[in-house]
Amino acid sequence: MQVESVPLGSVTIGPPAWRDGTVRSIRRAERLVRQTRAGPPPRSCSAETAEDKITSDGPGESRDSVCKHQTWRPQTTGATLPGGSRRSPAVPFPPAVPFPPSSWRERCAGASVAVAAEYMRRVREVEARLRRQAGRVTEEGVKLERDRGHLERMLRSIRTNLTVNGRSSEGRSQRPLAAETDPDGADYLLLWEKRELTQLKRDLEGALRTALTQLQVLGESSRRLLDCAGERSRVLELVPRGGSAGGRGAPTCSSPEPTGPLTPECERALESSSLAVRRSQLLRDDVRRTLGAAIGRQKAAHRAVNDGLVKKTAETVGLQQRLTLTSAAARQAAFRKQREVDCIRHSHGRAQVCVCVCVCVCVCVSVSDLSSCLQGPEYSGDVLSREKFSRPLVQVYQRHPGTQLPEAARLVQGSAMLRRCLDSSEDELARLQRTCLQLLDDLRGKTVAARVDAAVVRMRRQQVDRRAVPSFLQEGAC
């Protein structure tokens, strides 16, 4: 509303000084009203006209002192403060404007809210980044923990195979004969398998120690990230959780500052966690390669020992069959030799009887005395009539002196030859019998050895735990 001055009347009442003071008060009030309206900035108190000044020492002097002692307050240009992590000081009001607008407090409060909201938004971004990184660290820890479980299962499998290897060596030491307990190719294969499994056990234990250390590093990194995220979330109690600030958008790049949203501690936690995640990924790749190589070497060693034992069993069974045939042939030869010895002994006994009869006829010695001397047959009935020297033809032929038949000498020579043949045949028979017994003992030893090796192979195949490691690792190791 436009304020207009009312013209004063022409009638003068009272003294002029009283009237002039009143007019000056009215004009001063009109000037103050114009200053409070929107428009060009009013003049300062120093620009007052000379006619507005109070020359007297009256009550109007106290009114004019208001302009002299007026307090000037600063004023901003009306723009909001710049966002971000930096807080810029408020711009002072220009001294030409004595009074701020009526919405100054609201504008100051709005600027403060804008600064706090921008800071909280950036803090929320940092918190979301920290929690996402903590989630990645936790996920990597879960994967590394799974690989650690695979390592432990593989170590249990190797320890089981070492136990099976010891049982195999102990079982093969129970072979019966000394010739069967001498070290052979299967024993050397078992020793090689033991060395191979021991080396694999040392390698896997080293990998397990490294994995456990890396798990501790990941756990510590996750705790640091969560602690930093909890510390950053202390200013987010009045901010709603929804919105774009906590989403998966591209984070605002900002340099770390001690008083900013991204502190140096948070930056160090993020960098160390990223490095730990990369190292964990490389370690998991190494663990996978180590597991694949260990599974392949373990299978190769187990297969080589089993194949060696199977070959040894087959060789023992082949020798067992040959020993069976040879022992049967030796026993048959011993029976033939026994019949031959019996025939030679019978022929030698008959020859002895003939020699006895011949000597008895020649020197007139009784048959009983001669048989007791030469250990011939018990009675003369075993000698045929045509073999006796007392037959009529021999008696008639020997009536003249010097007429001796060569039969007696030849019988003596034949008896000596038969004796030598009998001794030789008896020696051969004894050797055949001893060889047959040795073959039978060897056959029993080979049978027991083949049974022991077969039991060892069966035990090794039963004791192997094929579920000790995952199937995808076994397929990759094949």
Side-chain angles (χ1 to χ4, degrees), residues 106-362:
E106 288 77 4
R107 292 171 63 183
C108 289
S112 300
V113 170
V115 171
E118 181 66 18
Y119 179 77
M120 291 181 181
R121 186 181 67 83
R122 292 180 179 271
V123 168
R124 176 178 287 181
E125 291 178 358
V126 173
E127 183 203 8
R129 182 180 174 187
L130 289 170
R131 294 193 183 278
R132 285 196 300 268
Q133 185 66 19
R136 284 193 289 268
V137 171
T138 304
E139 182 180 0
E140 185 65 28
V142 170
K143 294 180 181 178
L144 188 59
E145 180 69 22
R146 184 168 57 248
D147 291 342
R148 183 189 68 84
H150 295 165
L151 281 173
E152 290 182 349
R153 293 169 64 183
M154 189 64 193
L155 275 173
R156 286 197 298 270
S157 174
I158 288 179
R159 294 190 186 100
T160 302
N161 286 355
L162 283 172
T163 305
V164 170
N165 180 271
R167 292 178 181 176
S168 301
S169 300
E170 183 180 357
R172 294 201 82 240
S173 65
Q174 297 177 358
R175 289 171 295 176
L177 298 179
E180 293 292 337
T181 56
D182 293 337
D184 53 3
D187 294 327
Y188 293 137
L189 284 175
L190 286 172
L191 182 60
W192 170 75
E193 184 192 25
K194 182 179 179 181
R195 294 175 180 174
E196 189 78 3
L197 292 176
T198 304
Q199 182 64 33
L200 288 177
K201 180 174 174 290
R202 286 197 294 265
D203 296 342
L204 291 179
E205 285 177 349
L208 181 60
R209 286 192 296 268
T210 306
L212 290 175
T213 304
Q214 188 64 28
L215 280 174
Q216 294 177 357
V217 171
L218 289 175
E220 182 65 25
S221 179
S222 178
R223 284 191 295 271
R224 288 180 59 188
L225 288 171
L226 292 177
D227 291 342
C228 291
E231 189 274 332
R232 290 287 89 189
S233 64
R234 293 175 61 186
V235 298
L236 302 178
E237 294 180 357
L238 300 179
V239 181
R241 290 296 176 182
S244 61
R248 294 185 174 270
T252 304
C253 297
S254 59
S255 58
E257 294 181 1
T259 59
L262 182 62
T263 60
E265 183 180 1
C266 295
E267 183 69 18
R268 287 193 296 269
L270 289 171
E271 291 178 356
S272 63
S273 62
S274 300
L275 182 60
V277 168
R278 287 195 295 270
R279 288 180 178 176
S280 177
Q281 291 174 354
L282 294 177
L283 179 61
R284 286 195 298 109
D285 295 339
D286 293 340
V287 167
R288 291 296 181 89
R289 286 193 294 268
T290 303
L291 282 175
I295 292 172
R297 292 170 63 181
Q298 181 188 14
K299 283 187 174 182
H302 187 76
R303 190 182 304 111
V305 174
N306 286 352
D307 293 344
L309 289 174
V310 169
K311 290 180 181 178
K312 179 65 177 178
T313 305
E315 179 183 355
T316 305
V317 171
L319 291 175
Q320 178 184 355
Q321 294 175 356
R322 292 182 60 184
L323 283 172
T324 302
L325 295 176
T326 305
S327 62
R331 187 167 58 252
Q332 186 178 5
F335 291 157
R336 286 198 306 268
K337 183 60 69 174
Q338 183 67 43
R339 288 195 299 270
E340 183 179 352
V341 167
D342 292 340
C343 292
I344 293 173
R345 186 177 290 113
H346 183 71
S347 300
H348 181 265
R350 294 175 64 85
Q352 288 287 346
V353 171
C354 294
V355 171
C356 291
V357 173
C358 180
V359 173
C360 178
V361 172
C362 294

Side-chain angles (χ1 to χ4, degrees), residues 1 9 17 34 38 43 64 71 78 82 84 154 170 209 254 318 341 386 420 436 457:
M1 177 183 295
R34 285 194 304 269
R43 294 175 298 172
D64 294 338
T71 302
M154 189 64 193
E170 183 180 357
R209 286 192 296 268
S254 59
V341 167
R386 65 176 181 273
R420 289 193 299 270
C436 186
V457 173

Side-chain angles (χ1 to χ4, degrees), residues 49-61:
T49 58
E51 62 180 0
D52 295 334
K53 291 183 179 179
I54 302 175
T55 57
S56 62
D57 296 332
E61 186 176 0

